[in-house]
Amino acid sequence: MRMRVPRNLEVLKMGAISYLDALKLQEKLASNRKIHKIPDTLLSLQHPPTYTLGKRRTDHNLLIPESELKRIGAELHYTQRGGDITFHGPHQAILYPIISLRDIGLGARKYVENLESTMIELASLYGVKACPGKKCETGVWVGDRKIGAIGVRISYGITSHGLAFNIDPDLDYFKHIVPCGIADKEVTSLRRETDLVLPTEEVIQDQLISCFARQFGYSNLVWKDAASILSDNGETE
């Protein structure tokens, strides 16, 4: 459903940022959003190689010893989001919405469906037919291959964490986990699934932002400078 009142979304393009720095920033922005100090905000970024576990702590879905992670150049972090283990890394587009579901009148299920639709719309721009997972399968799939992951946290009606869409990551990293806890399923990427020549990743990340804004009914995007937000939130020392 489209919102009748024009809605602003502040967009913060972070480039590559460590998982912990992004987590700290999300927590600060979510607490500011809760007290109406900031409007709805969207972080667009990439992470260095990182495995994250949701609050269910399903360590058994990490298939290599933690001691091996350093050798393959990856970190492991425990989070408060929903969902199972997932991988974040270079050449994967990540969106972390910090928005008030109450203000836009969405429940948790519809919110997740809109995140799915955001990635499905992006894939369709490149002739790739993606769809939501079947029962108990989160994220977005091309056939039985997963192209996008979703893991969200909602606290006091404010969202954090979000979605990760595979543009062209090193898929070998996914071999060390049972992605999202679903065995016998492949992971794929836009590069693998499309016959089209891909533009730069920045272009694709901007397209993902546009798809998000359309799906959620934001009519006005306000692009914010990352450095100014970090300093506003006391993140720079």
Side-chain angles (χ1 to χ4, degrees):
M1 194 175 89
R2 291 289 178 259
M3 311 304 150
R4 291 197 189 102
V5 183
R7 293 190 50 79
N8 287 352
L9 178 69
E10 289 199 349
V11 181
L12 187 51
K13 291 164 74 170
M14 304 295 302
I17 178 174
S18 81
Y19 189 80
L20 284 182
D21 285 348
L23 190 60
K24 251 169 51 180
L25 180 58
Q26 286 181 80
E27 286 167 353
K28 182 70 179 171
L29 292 172
S31 108
N32 284 345
R33 183 68 191 88
K34 186 180 155 197
I35 58 173
H36 305 289
K37 193 172 169 187
I38 60 169
D40 286 349
T41 301
L42 183 66
L43 303 181
S44 172
L45 51 91
Q46 294 194 13
H47 286 311
T50 310
Y51 294 104
T52 68
L53 281 151
K55 51 192 176 188
R56 283 186 287 154
R57 299 287 182 266
T58 48
D59 301 62
H60 57 275
N61 287 325
L62 177 66
L63 304 177
I64 59 170
E66 281 192 45
S67 55
E68 286 282 287
L69 290 174
K70 190 173 267 188
R71 184 182 64 76
I72 64 168
E75 297 179 353
L76 174 67
H77 293 293
Y78 294 84
T79 76
Q80 290 302 307
R81 63 163 174 77
D84 209 297
I85 193 166
T86 194
F87 171 76
H88 296 309
H91 316 297
Q92 182 191 64
I94 293 173
L95 294 184
Y96 290 147
I98 314 293
I99 66 177
S100 169
L101 293 185
R102 290 174 186 167
D103 283 7
I104 56 176
L106 286 185
R109 177 173 298 220
K110 179 62 176 158
Y111 172 63
V112 169
E113 287 173 358
N114 282 12
L115 292 180
E116 290 170 343
S117 298
T118 297
M119 292 191 279
I120 289 167
E121 182 183 335
L122 177 67
S124 75
L125 298 178
Y126 294 92
V128 176
K129 185 168 170 39
C131 57
K134 304 185 184 81
K135 198 177 177 191
C136 302
E137 295 178 352
T138 59
V140 167
W141 301 71
V142 181
D144 59 0
R145 301 175 301 285
K146 187 164 193 169
I147 197 169
I150 292 174
V152 302
R153 182 171 194 222
I154 300 169
S155 178
Y156 299 100
I158 307 299
T159 66
S160 58
H161 298 278
L163 65 80
F165 183 86
N166 295 335
I167 300 172
D168 188 23
D170 180 350
L171 298 179
D172 280 349
Y173 280 105
F174 289 95
K175 292 177 180 170
H176 302 302
I177 60 172
V178 181
C180 299
I182 303 165
D184 305 322
K185 297 284 186 180
E186 275 184 67
V187 175
T188 191
S189 65
L190 188 59
R191 165 84 66 203
R192 271 202 178 179
E193 298 294 338
T194 186
D195 296 326
L196 301 177
V197 175
L198 295 181
T200 66
E201 291 190 359
E202 187 176 2
V203 166
I204 297 173
Q205 291 205 224
D206 286 353
Q207 289 171 330
L208 186 61
I209 292 165
S210 297
C211 293
F212 176 90
R214 261 195 302 279
Q215 293 296 331
F216 283 87
Y218 292 102
S219 48
N220 189 30
L221 299 186
V222 181
W223 302 88
K224 298 289 277 193
D225 176 52
S228 74
I229 291 281
L230 289 171
S231 93
D232 287 350
N233 284 283
E235 296 295 322
T236 48
E237 296 299 325

